[in-house]
Amino acid sequence: MMLRLNMKDPRPLYEQIIDGIKEQVLKGLLQPGDQIPSIRQLAGMLTITPNTVSKAYQELERQHIIETARGKGTFIAQIENLYMEQSKVMEIKQALKKVCIDWQYTGYSKKQLFEEINGIYESLGEGDKR
Amino acid sequence: MMLRLNMKDPRPLYEQIIDGIKEQVLKGLLQPGDQIPSIRQLAGMLTITPNTVSKAYQELERQHIIETARGKGTFIAQIENLYMEQSKVMEIKQALKKVCIDWQYTGYSKKQLFEEINGIYESLGEGDKR
Amino acid sequence: MMLRLNMKDPRPLYEQIIDGIKEQVLKGLLQPGDQIPSIRQLAGMLTITPNTVSKAYQELERQHIIETARGKGTFIAQIENLYMEQSKVMEIKQALKKVCIDWQYTGYSKKQLFEEINGIYESLGEGDKR
Amino acid sequence: MMLRLNMKDPRPLYEQIIDGIKEQVLKGLLQPGDQIPSIRQLAGMLTITPNTVSKAYQELERQHIIETARGKGTFIAQIENLYMEQSKVMEIKQALKKVCIDWQYTGYSKKQLFEEINGIYESLGEGDKR
DNA sequence: GTGGTCTAGACCACG
DNA sequence: GTGGTCTAGACCACG
């Protein structure tokens, strides 16, 4: 598994890890059942403290994206485990609204926003992996 | 001017103020030249410290959304001069990508995303105010 | 006498008045002995409070740029009254240094700075009025 | 990093910090990648409240002079990305005009102004650091 | 340890 | 009255 951290990114490191893994799952680079590095391994690869990786894995487990099998390692979860709380959905919609507002202030049109989104979906493989 | 703070919102208070005012400008509820409450007034209305409102207003002034007239108060700025740093645009596009990823995990389709965005744009008045 | 105030100018109003009058003297638009409006007159013309004009006139008098003849009005002073404290000169040199630093951050060259200054001096009539 | 505050200076403390750091960058005393003191450290050195240092650092970050790495400290930024809003440039040109007017009232000539500027540029290392 | 946010309150310049 | 600066100190997230 490949993962890049950007120290200038305003997102905290653990969030970059979460987002990065979710992105790779969507892209199909990580498939259900695939093993991912242990906390210590990934921390070593990224040269950050294991605490940070641990926080990311905990959150990913809470979201049923990954599963830990004691003593065996950590794996990408099966999709049927997917469940999302309604409050989380509302949070995402709120983030979407904020992006739309910011987008208008850039001066770009709604059409350009849709094109941007199409580009993103393409880069994610149109989301057929989930 | 009406403004609501949500203590459960993960965004800091000053950011909620910024976003709220930008939203009302897009909606046309606040027009160029309109006076907005003084720092102390708004702080009183929201029962927060004036410093927090001040921070929001200073950031809005930096973004050329509002203007301060010494001793007279604070006003919505004329629309001219709209310019956004490229790094800021990249930041918004990155937030958009994150939303798209999160969106796919909700199980909703891209079509539904576009519908959601259409709804948001409608609620903002299709952006003819800027 | 003509004078323009800019409410968006970061300088306080009284300072804009001071600078404006000094500029007109340099340009020769105001000559030694010329009468200038009374505090109340100028306040009326600029639609600001007389207090603000008063503050400007007091400072101009302190700098021997203008003189008040009780009951007769206010006049541009003779040049021989000119005197400047050393500390004031140091202050100006410090402001000059700050401008030079800011100038470098604009990306413009020293040559361009000199050209800009030549333009300013030209607009002031090369300063032969003092 | 050495930094001096002057309580008699009319500039606010946070602005003296900003100007001081920008000057040292121009002089090459601070190089891209160099770490600068943490907010608390510098506040201790200057015996002022950390809030004031924080305000200066945030403004410097906005100007892309410094960068913050979460939990690791604050660093001088790479030079790229240099861009300045036109309104900011106008502000600097206006400050320059004000200095020119004040300069003429000192009695010094334009030639002497150029010499003074040459001296300032020399002390800044002719700006080859940016 | 680091920086970011917020409070409560003082003092100041400007108008 | 207005906004701007600064203090002193708390609490938090991140690493």
Side-chain angles (χ1 to χ4, degrees):
Chain A
M1 191 187 74
M2 254 291 290
L3 211 52
R4 272 255 165 83
L5 295 184
N6 180 0
M7 292 305 177
K8 294 180 188 173
D9 196 311
R11 288 174 300 170
L13 300 180
Y14 80 92
E15 202 177 318
Q16 293 185 45
I17 296 173
I18 293 171
D19 292 348
I21 289 181
K22 283 165 103 171
E23 183 179 341
Q24 297 197 28
V25 170
L26 284 183
K27 284 181 176 168
L29 297 178
L30 289 175
Q31 306 268 352
D34 281 359
Q35 184 167 16
I36 60 174
S38 74
I39 290 177
R40 279 162 187 280
Q41 276 174 347
L42 186 53
M45 288 159 59
L46 301 174
T47 59
I48 60 178
T49 146
N51 275 334
T52 303
V53 180
S54 172
K55 183 164 186 181
Y57 277 22
Q58 277 174 36
E59 177 61 21
L60 283 166
E61 198 158 7
R62 215 190 53 71
Q63 293 182 23
H64 306 288
I65 311 280
I66 65 174
E67 282 169 343
T68 296
R70 237 183 307 280
K72 291 196 176 170
T74 305
F75 303 84
I76 302 298
Q78 301 305 319
I79 303 183
E80 46 259 277
N81 291 331
L82 182 61
Y83 166 79
M84 188 174 285
E85 298 164 30
Q86 198 50 30
S87 68
K88 176 73 178 157
V89 175
M90 291 310 296
E91 210 179 271
I92 293 167
K93 287 191 177 177
Q94 209 243 32
L96 176 63
K97 183 176 171 186
K98 182 167 161 53
V99 167
C100 286
I101 290 175
D102 283 341
W103 186 265
Q104 292 208 34
Y105 277 99
T106 62
Y108 290 124
S109 68
K110 189 172 74 173
K111 190 164 163 254
Q112 286 169 312
L113 174 57
F114 284 170
E115 282 163 7
E116 183 74 20
I117 292 172
N118 278 325
I120 292 168
Y121 264 75
E122 235 168 83
S123 80
L124 297 175
E126 287 294 330
D128 293 331
K129 311 312 179 305
R130 283 215 70 85
Chain B
M1 194 189 73
M2 255 291 290
L3 208 54
R4 275 254 165 86
L5 293 184
N6 180 359
M7 291 309 174
K8 293 178 188 168
D9 195 312
R11 290 173 299 168
L13 301 180
Y14 81 92
E15 202 177 318
Q16 293 185 44
I17 296 172
I18 292 172
D19 291 348
I21 289 181
K22 283 166 104 169
E23 182 178 343
Q24 297 198 28
V25 170
L26 283 183
K27 283 182 176 167
L29 298 178
L30 289 175
Q31 305 269 353
D34 282 357
Q35 184 164 14
I36 60 174
S38 78
I39 289 176
R40 282 169 175 75
Q41 277 174 349
L42 188 52
M45 288 159 59
L46 302 174
T47 56
I48 60 176
T49 155
N51 264 332
T52 301
V53 180
S54 176
K55 184 168 185 178
Y57 276 20
Q58 281 181 30
E59 177 60 22
L60 284 166
E61 191 155 18
R62 227 175 276 118
Q63 294 183 22
H64 305 291
I65 312 279
I66 65 174
E67 276 166 4
T68 291
R70 236 176 323 287
K72 291 198 173 168
T74 304
F75 303 83
I76 302 298
Q78 302 303 320
I79 303 183
E80 38 160 333
N81 281 343
L82 186 57
Y83 167 81
M84 190 175 283
E85 270 188 277
Q86 200 51 31
S87 63
K88 176 76 178 152
V89 174
M90 292 308 296
E91 216 175 85
I92 293 168
K93 287 189 177 176
Q94 207 235 35
L96 176 63
K97 183 177 172 185
K98 182 168 161 55
V99 166
C100 286
I101 290 175
D102 284 340
W103 186 263
Q104 293 207 32
Y105 277 97
T106 62
Y108 290 124
S109 68
K110 189 171 77 172
K111 190 163 165 250
Q112 285 169 310
L113 174 59
F114 283 172
E115 282 163 8
E116 182 75 19
I117 292 172
N118 277 325
I120 292 168
Y121 264 74
E122 234 169 85
S123 80
L124 296 175
E126 286 292 332
D128 293 332
K129 310 312 180 305
R130 276 213 82 80
Chain C
M1 191 187 75
M2 254 292 288
L3 210 53
R4 273 257 164 83
L5 295 184
N6 179 359
M7 291 306 178
K8 294 178 189 175
D9 196 312
R11 290 174 300 170
L13 299 181
Y14 82 92
E15 202 176 318
Q16 293 185 45
I17 296 173
I18 293 172
D19 292 348
I21 290 181
K22 284 165 102 170
E23 182 178 343
Q24 296 197 28
V25 170
L26 284 182
K27 284 181 175 168
L29 298 177
L30 289 175
Q31 306 268 352
D34 282 359
Q35 185 166 14
I36 61 173
S38 74
I39 290 177
R40 279 163 185 281
Q41 277 173 347
L42 187 53
M45 288 159 60
L46 302 174
T47 58
I48 60 177
T49 148
N51 275 335
T52 303
V53 180
S54 173
K55 182 164 185 180
Y57 276 22
Q58 276 175 36
E59 177 60 20
L60 284 165
E61 199 158 7
R62 215 190 53 72
Q63 293 183 23
H64 307 288
I65 312 278
I66 65 173
E67 282 168 345
T68 297
R70 237 184 307 281
K72 290 194 175 170
T74 305
F75 304 85
I76 302 299
Q78 301 303 320
I79 302 184
E80 47 258 280
N81 292 331
L82 181 60
Y83 166 78
M84 188 172 284
E85 298 163 31
Q86 198 52 30
S87 67
K88 176 73 179 159
V89 174
M90 291 310 296
E91 211 178 89
I92 293 168
K93 287 189 177 177
Q94 211 245 29
L96 177 62
K97 183 176 171 187
K98 182 168 161 53
V99 166
C100 286
I101 290 174
D102 283 341
W103 186 264
Q104 292 207 33
Y105 277 99
T106 63
Y108 290 124
S109 69
K110 190 171 75 173
K111 190 163 165 255
Q112 287 169 310
L113 173 59
F114 284 170
E115 283 163 7
E116 183 75 19
I117 292 172
N118 278 325
I120 292 168
Y121 264 75
E122 235 168 83
S123 79
L124 297 175
E126 285 295 331
D128 294 332
K129 311 314 180 301
R130 287 212 70 85
Chain D
M1 193 188 74
M2 255 290 291
L3 209 54
R4 273 252 166 85
L5 294 184
N6 180 359
M7 291 309 174
K8 292 178 188 167
D9 195 313
R11 290 174 299 169
L13 302 180
Y14 80 92
E15 202 177 318
Q16 292 185 45
I17 296 172
I18 292 171
D19 292 347
I21 289 181
K22 283 165 104 170
E23 183 179 342
Q24 296 198 30
V25 170
L26 283 182
K27 284 182 176 167
L29 298 177
L30 289 175
Q31 305 269 352
D34 282 358
Q35 185 165 15
I36 60 175
S38 78
I39 289 177
R40 283 170 174 75
Q41 277 175 349
L42 188 53
M45 289 159 60
L46 302 174
T47 57
I48 60 177
T49 155
N51 264 332
T52 301
V53 179
S54 176
K55 183 169 185 177
Y57 276 20
Q58 280 182 29
E59 177 61 22
L60 283 165
E61 190 155 19
R62 225 175 277 120
Q63 294 182 22
H64 306 291
I65 312 281
I66 66 174
E67 276 165 3
T68 291
R70 238 177 321 287
K72 290 199 174 166
T74 305
F75 303 83
I76 303 297
Q78 301 304 320
I79 302 184
E80 38 160 335
N81 281 342
L82 187 57
Y83 166 82
M84 190 174 283
E85 269 189 278
Q86 200 51 30
S87 64
K88 176 78 178 149
V89 175
M90 292 308 297
E91 216 175 83
I92 293 168
K93 288 189 177 179
Q94 207 235 37
L96 176 63
K97 183 177 172 185
K98 182 167 161 55
V99 166
C100 286
I101 290 175
D102 284 340
W103 186 263
Q104 293 208 32
Y105 278 97
T106 63
Y108 290 124
S109 69
K110 189 171 78 175
K111 192 165 163 248
Q112 285 169 311
L113 174 59
F114 284 172
E115 283 163 6
E116 183 75 19
I117 292 172
N118 278 324
I120 292 167
Y121 264 75
E122 236 168 82
S123 80
L124 296 176
E126 288 291 333
D128 292 333
K129 310 310 180 304
R130 274 214 82 79

